[in-house]
Structure formats: C-alpha cells, structure tokens
Amino acid sequence: MSKTIALVGNPNSGKTTLFNALTGSNHHVGNWPGVTVEKKVGYVRHGGVDYEIVDLPGTYSLGAYAEDERIAREFILSQGADVVINVVDATNIERNLYLTTQLLEMNVKVVLALNMVDEAEAKQIKVDLAGISERLGVPVVPTVASRRKGIDILLDTAADLINAPLNGRPHITYGEDLDGKLARLQDLLDGLRLDYPRQWLALQLLEGDGYAERLMQENEVLKSSQELAAFLSELKPRAEQYQLEIVDYRYRFISEVTADTVCRPDEAVPTLTDKIDKIVTHKYFGLPIFALIMLGVFQLTFAIGEELLGGIVAGWIGVLGEFVTGGLSTMGAPEWLISFLSEGVFAGLGAVVEFVPLIVVLYMLMGFLEDSGYMARAAYVMDNIMRAVGLQGKSFISMLVGFGCNVPGVMATRTLENKKDRMIAILINPFMSCGAKIPIYLVFIGAFFPEHGGLVMFSVYGLGIIVALLMGKLFSATLFKGEVSHFILELPPYRKPTLRNVLRNMWDNVSGFLVRAGTVIFAVVSLLWILAVLPTGVEPYGPASILGRIGTFVAPIFRPAGFGTWQAAVGLFSGIAAKESVVATLGMVYAGVDSGVELIEAIRSVFTPLTAVSFMVMTLLYTPCVATLGTIKKETGSTKWMAFSAVYTFVLGWFAAVLVYRVGLLLGFA
Amino acid sequence: MELRSLVDLAAGECGRVQRIAAGANATKRLYEMGFNTGAQVRVMKNDFGPLIVALEGNKIALGRGLAEKMLVKKLERL
Ligand SMILES: Nc1nc2c(ncn2[C@@H]2O[C@H](COP(=O)(O)OP(=O)(O)OP(=O)(O)O)[C@@H](O)[C@H]2O)c(=O)[nH]1
Ligand SMILES: [Mg+2]
C-alpha cells in the first residue's frame, strides 16, 4: 500500500516546483499566484516505499473563497493524506504560517518545507530552524525547490513522520472568552462519535464556518444534540466577530513563534522588483508598456520563428512527402493511397505542422514573461479597464492563460471568488486567440501581409481582447448583474526565468499542438478526404464531391462577409473540431505535396486582402473548439451555457466579419 | 486614536491596520492574508487605480474600493 503525501501551501510558494522535483513530473510552473487550479497526483519510490504525492492549488487559509481553494481545502479536510508537506515561502514566513496554524489545529501530521531559502538569504533574512521547529512541534526542512535542494531530506523526514506517532502540539490560545466557549463546545461534543478531532470541530463551529454548518445539518450525531444546537444558535449572531478574533489570535501565536526565530534586516531598501514596478505599473506608462511588450513578443516571434527558422519544417515535410509518395508509386501502391497521403496527410497536416518553429518561439517568449513575474503586473495595469466594463484585474489572468489554449484559460477562472466574475470570464475566454489559430493567421499573413506579420498578429490578439471586454460589459450589464468584486492580488518578486520552466511551458503548448495534429486533425483530414473524393467518378475536391456539395450548401451564409466559397465554409466548420483543421482543410482542398507555398498561392487567388481580414476576424471570434466547449460545460456545470457559448460566438463572429467586409468595401478596399 | 483610511496614506507612508469595514467575506479574507488587527503595511503606490502595499516585505495589489474600507493608524516612523 502506498502512502500519500500532500503538498499544501500559499499560492506561488513553490509547491508544483517541489512536486516536479519529487516525482519527475512536468506540471505547469509560473511566477504568479494561481497557476495550479486542480489536484495533481504523481508517484515516487523512496527507501523501498511507494509514495503518492498530491499537488494542490495554493491557498492562504482553509477558509476557501474560490473554487481552486475549495479543492485544496476539501482534500485536506478529507484527511486523505498520511502526511502533509506544508510549503512555506521563507521570505514571507509570518503570513505563510497562518495556514500552518490551521493545519496544526486540524491535528494532521505536518512537515514544514521552508522553501526559497536562497531568496531569503539574498534578502538577509535569518531563520532559526530548530527554534521554529520546536515552537511549532513539527520538523522543518530548508529547501530550494527550483534547484532540487533538500528534496531527499524532505522525503526522509516525511517518511519518518508517517511511521511516528503524532507528537504534542503547541497550545494556541484564542483569549479567555473564546477559550471558554471552545471548552464548552468540546464538552458538548464529548462522547459523540465524530470523524474529526473534537478540538478542531469546536473551533469550526465557533467560527460559524459554512463547512461546519453543513456538518451540523448532515451529521446525525451532531443533529441529535439539543444542547449543542441551542448553544450554537446563541453564538451565531456574533460569528463574524469571533472569526476575526480567531484570526488575530492565530497571528498572535505566529508572532510568538517568529519573534526570536526570524530576523529581518531593518528597513528594506528598494529592491530591484520595486524599481521595475515603478516603471511597469506607472499610472500613464503601465498600459502602453504592456502593449509594447506584446507587440515586441510578436515581432520577435516573426523575426526568429519565420525569417530564421521558418522554412525548415516546411522543407522537411516537402522532402519527406516527395520521398514517400515517390517511393510508393514506384512500388506500385494503389492510386488512392498515394492521393490520400499526398493531398490529405502531407498537404493537410503538413500545412499545420510547418508552423511549429514559429509556435515554439512564441511560447518560449510567453513562458519567459510568465516565469518572470510580469503576469500579475499585467493584471494590475488592466484592472482599471476591466473595472470600467464591470470586471476586475484578476479576470485578466485567465484571459492571458487563454492565449496559450482556451481549455486552461477557462479553468484558470477558478481563482475568481465571485460567481458573476467567473461566469463572464468563462464566456469571454474564447475570444483570446489561442495557439491553434496561429496557423490560420500565418497562412493569410504569408499570402497578403508578409512584411507585417508581427503587426497583424498583434492586431488580431488586440482585437480579441477588445471584443472580450465589450462582451464582458454587455454580460455584466444584462445577464450577470451584481456588484463588482474586490481586487486582491499578490505581486510576486520578479525572478529570473529558469530555462527548465520556459521550455516546459513551451512544450505544454507545442506538444498539445502536435498531439492534436496526430489525432483530431488527422481524423478530420481523413474524413474530409473521403468526402472529397466520393462519389467515385467525380472530380476530387470539386464542387460535385460530397464535401463540395455540403460546402456549397453552407457557403451562402458567408457570402455577405466576402468569403462565400465552399472551401472556406468547410474549413470553418472543420475548425470546430480543432482550430488547426481550418488550415489542414484548406491545405487539402487546395492540395499539393509542397503544400505551404501552393496553399499560399491558392489563397492569394481566391481571397483578397480585404476578405482575408474578414476571414481572420471570423476565425478569431467564431465558435470555440469542442475541447473548449467541453471545458465550459464542466466548469459552468451546465449544457445550456455551453450551447449559448457555441452559438453567440458564431453570431458575433459572423457580424464582425460582415462589418469588416462591408466597411472595407465602402472605404475602397477590395 | 485617529483612524484614517488606507487610501489616505501616500506612497512611502506606513500604517497599522485597526479595522476593516468591508463585507464579511472580504474582511475575513484580508485578515487571513495578513491584514489583521495590528498588521503593519507600507503603501508603495497610491496614485491611480489599485494601491500596491507591502506587507512583511511582500507586495499586494488592493482595489481602491477595498482599500477605502481599511482603517489604519498612521505610523510616523517605522
Ligand atoms: N528562487 C527560488 N524560486 C523558486 C523556488 N521554488 C520555486 N520557485 C519559483 O517560484 C515560482 C512559483 O513556483 P510554483 O511551483 O509554480 O508555485 P506553486 O506554489 O505551485 O504556485 P500555485 O500553483 O500558483 O499555488 C516559480 O517561478 C518557481 O520557479 C526556490 O526554492 N527558490
Ligand atoms: Mg502550483
């Protein structure tokens, strides 16, 4: 039987870094609070024993305000861990120990991993490890998770603790008055058969915590005690006051622990972080700097990804395509197989995969920003605008995550406490242009705007943000009225991004891209290929094929937007399976082995610069892919919202594309 | 003792949290994050939009509306 070790701690304290170091996993790490929003499990064998390691979302307390914190809390309360590793940021010990205090109250076995001791040293914070360990009654192990320091000792310590009996806990006082009430509650609970330590339950009841209340309603044992119920209703009116008093007493306990065990240098001199923040959060320059950073990212992406590395993969695909199809035809393989490979696989899939270098560069730059600490600053500078449309800065983080992929983007809304904020953030996330749409833009940029790639990408992404904000405004004024919630966000210190994190986060996106190419997109291409060559006898990829007929039937919808060809219609609909399919489909129907160049030429002959723009606007805004729709269903718990999301985005995309086309025509573009 | 709102402190000034008059949830959240009675905060930025305050050397952005409801005692020198 394996033992379970849970990683618990404040947001951004290094839990996932530690988890990766312990288990050899590759989960997402970033220098901003709220990266992990679901429970993750990994395994490690140590000293001949198997351990299951559980990584949890960060939380400041067991109070659970948002969904991610609720997940952490539920796991801790389920008592599913044999031992808890409490990851504490050594530069911020006092505040991190708040959660520790709550763990001690629960009477779980705790090891304190004092993480980031490298940064604490740099800040000249001195810590008496033995002293803290003694005061808290738990072992303390210093670690530098990002450099895998202290990992073995930490595992040893946790393993020892699993086998050891729970030792004495420090006494935490909540003041005479509350201590008296707690004692009375404990008396009332005495003799009842309960799943939780009495002491802890008494504290929960006194706080009038929602969880305790639910227990009171559901637990037969608790319900049956008349006296308890009477006492609780006596306490209830003052629950809020008790809560705050209890928090104060917990912090009083912490200051007793840290008074002579933690020593900070006197008045901190402005750090590098402070200096950078002076500039990037500046009241006038903050937003322009954010825009410049994004523009810089896209310009660099094109400079490196397209001009330097651009042709490489396309070249390989071309050579490989010629080689395979050439080889097969000399071997006398059937005509249909060669046609499927050259037009379906190499032209279709190839058109998607050839953009991998560019996507690699883009996501390395994004990963760099993410691991530097800038994300939280972007949320900060956006708060004013977000507030103007009825949202708040924290929602912007989920939008930024959506730039990678809308699936984690939608999930990132779990950190939003307010239900209204969360629903709106979910519904507008698909406007954040994801990595899978990039090949679409690239094909059209290649065809019409090869000199201005970075600028076009920047405009597309910018338009996505603007539409998201406008829809946010609309939703908060109609469907989800209610007060704007408060903005509270920790701004972590800037850190030098580690190569490991940057590469990992890039690979997260790129591997998803490749996997989709090998699965969904391959399936779409195969299916569409069959539809494109049937019924036998018709001209393949012609309007008389089944695919052509379906496309021709749908195409008139898009005529007002300027791209009423059956190929465009089929491309757009295939994109709902996965966005790259749009390009794969176009690549296939305008087929050829040397796909990239030919596709671009074909596009040039079918589209005009104006219809290219309206088509890009449509692809930016219209119906999210099925994976995103599935996530929307899961996170809202409602099929209705999923359907709503699928339909309203389509309608919006259509109107926007038509608007662009019509206005463009009026202005004399063609 | 003269209480003032956190938004009345200029950048560079320090205060000690005395009371928070926001909604029950927000108040408890702030308390648990370390803005409890007696906590020392230093205002790092207070000009436009959310404030940035330092708490035990870490920086936290706080919406203006929320900061208005946080009552502090201004500290002359830390
Ligand atoms: N200097 C230093 N940085 C660290 C250390 N451990 C983690 N980091 C960095 O701290 C940041 C946060 O790390 P994560 O592992 O994502 O933190 P987390 O606790 O999982 O965060 P959430 O999932 O948001 O709660 C990353 O930039 C890490 O590279 C450490 O010991 N020293
Ligand atoms: Mg994490």
Side-chain angles (χ1 to χ4, degrees), chain A residues 12-17 34-36 115 118-119 144-146 371 501:
Chain A
N12 213 40
S13 57
K15 298 173 297 298
T16 304
T17 309
V35 179
T36 309
N115 195 31
D118 55 331
E119 289 192 357
V144 182
S146 52
D371 207 30
N501 288 350

Side-chain angles (χ1 to χ4, degrees), chain A residues 60 95 98 244 247-248 251 487-490, chain B residues 6 15-21 26-43 51-56 58-63 66-67 70-72:
Chain A
Y60 292 104
R95 294 177 49 226
Y98 184 81
L244 300 184
V247 178
D248 278 340
Y251 271 107
F487 178 53
I488 309 177
L489 184 66
E490 193 147 346
Chain B
L6 186 61
R16 218 177 253 287
V17 178
Q18 299 299 324
R19 199 153 59 77
I20 298 176
T27 303
K28 190 175 178 209
R29 149 126 291 184
L30 286 168
Y31 260 67
E32 296 202 306
M33 282 183 81
F35 294 96
N36 61 309
T37 320
Q40 270 182 24
V41 298
R42 166 189 289 273
V43 175
L51 278 71
I52 299 180
V53 301
L55 185 65
E56 303 283 1
N58 274 60
K59 302 173 103 175
I60 299 172
L62 290 175
L66 199 56
M70 299 172 69
L71 303 178
V72 300

Side-chain angles (χ1 to χ4, degrees), chain A residues 9-20 28-37 55-59 87 114-119 143-147 370-373 495-498 501:
Chain A
N10 283 22
N12 213 40
S13 57
K15 298 173 297 298
T16 304
T17 309
L18 192 60
F19 176 84
N20 287 340
H28 203 111
V29 164
N31 190 17
W32 47 282
V35 179
T36 309
V37 292
D55 184 24
L56 293 167
T59 181
V87 184
L114 196 64
N115 195 31
M116 311 211 179
V117 288
D118 55 331
E119 289 192 357
T143 60
V144 182
S146 52
R147 275 187 256 136
E370 187 183 338
D371 207 30
S372 70
R495 298 197 161 99
K496 204 174 91 211
T498 63
N501 288 350

Side-chain angles (χ1 to χ4, degrees), chain A residues 610-627:
Chain A
L610 180 59
T611 57
V613 172
S614 70
F615 189 78
M616 283 197 277
V617 168
M618 180 75 191
T619 50
L620 168 70
L621 302 176
Y622 86 116
T623 307
C625 69
V626 284

Side-chain angles (χ1 to χ4, degrees), chain A residues 304-598:
Chain A
I304 305 172
E306 181 78 0
E307 272 145 41
L308 234 58
L309 310 169
I312 295 182
V313 177
W316 291 343
I317 294 172
V319 172
L320 189 67
E322 305 271 2
F323 178 76
V324 171
T325 49
L328 282 176
S329 60
T330 48
M331 279 158 53
E335 194 62 34
W336 65 264
L337 180 64
I338 295 170
S339 135
F340 171 69
L341 285 177
S342 78
E343 284 135 28
V345 176
F346 284 103
L349 276 186
V352 173
V353 174
E354 71 177 84
F355 296 115
V356 162
L358 199 132
I359 288 168
V360 166
V361 175
L362 178 63
Y363 285 108
M364 284 187 66
L365 293 172
M366 295 262 201
F368 186 90
L369 279 183
E370 187 183 338
D371 207 30
S372 70
Y374 184 72
M375 287 275 277
R377 274 73 182 183
Y380 175 88
V381 295
M382 283 298 289
D383 183 68
N384 291 312
I385 295 183
M386 299 290 283
R387 205 154 284 279
V389 300
L391 301 169
Q392 59 133 326
K394 212 170 162 186
S395 302
F396 194 64
I397 289 190
S398 64
M399 292 165 67
L400 286 174
V401 175
F403 277 161
C405 170
N406 297 128
V407 170
V410 169
M411 287 179 65
T413 62
R414 289 183 178 182
T415 62
L416 299 170
E417 288 164 31
N418 183 302
K419 172 95 177 147
K420 164 204 158 200
D421 281 358
R422 184 155 183 235
M423 283 303 298
I424 297 177
I426 288 175
L427 291 178
I428 63 178
N429 201 277
F431 300 130
M432 308 314 288
S433 191
C434 72
K437 290 181 188 167
I438 292 175
I440 312 174
Y441 308 139
L442 294 181
V443 165
F444 284 89
I445 287 172
F448 295 106
F449 319 102
E451 303 300 316
H452 306 287
L455 200 62
V456 173
M457 290 280 281
F458 174 77
S459 311
V460 169
Y461 278 64
L463 178 68
I465 295 182
I466 291 169
V467 171
L469 292 178
L470 291 177
M471 291 314 289
K473 177 78 192 165
L474 186 67
F475 287 142
S476 66
T478 55
L479 291 175
F480 305 100
K481 289 194 192 129
E483 255 185 65
V484 176
S485 55
H486 298 298
F487 178 53
I488 309 177
L489 184 66
E490 193 147 346
L491 305 178
Y494 290 102
R495 298 197 161 99
K496 204 174 91 211
T498 63
L499 185 65
R500 195 195 303 256
N501 288 350
V502 172
L503 288 178
R504 180 193 300 122
N505 295 351
M506 178 275 289
W507 185 242
D508 260 6
N509 287 302
V510 173
S511 64
F513 189 85
L514 292 174
V515 167
R516 279 194 304 277
T519 53
V520 184
I521 303 166
F522 182 77
V524 169
V525 163
S526 308
L527 178 69
L528 294 190
W529 179 80
I530 295 172
L531 295 180
V533 294
L534 289 179
T536 40
V538 301
E539 180 203 352
Y541 314 106
S545 65
I546 298 183
L547 190 66
R549 277 186 239 162
I550 297 174
T552 311
F553 181 71
V554 195
I557 311 179
F558 301 110
R559 204 160 294 145
F563 45 83
T565 63
W566 71 264
Q567 292 94 334
V570 169
L572 282 174
F573 277 99
S574 72
I576 294 173
K579 295 291 164 172
E580 298 95 331
S581 310
V582 176
V583 163
T585 305
L586 292 179
M588 185 176 72
V589 293
Y590 296 124
V593 168
D594 193 10
S595 62
V597 180
E598 261 185 43

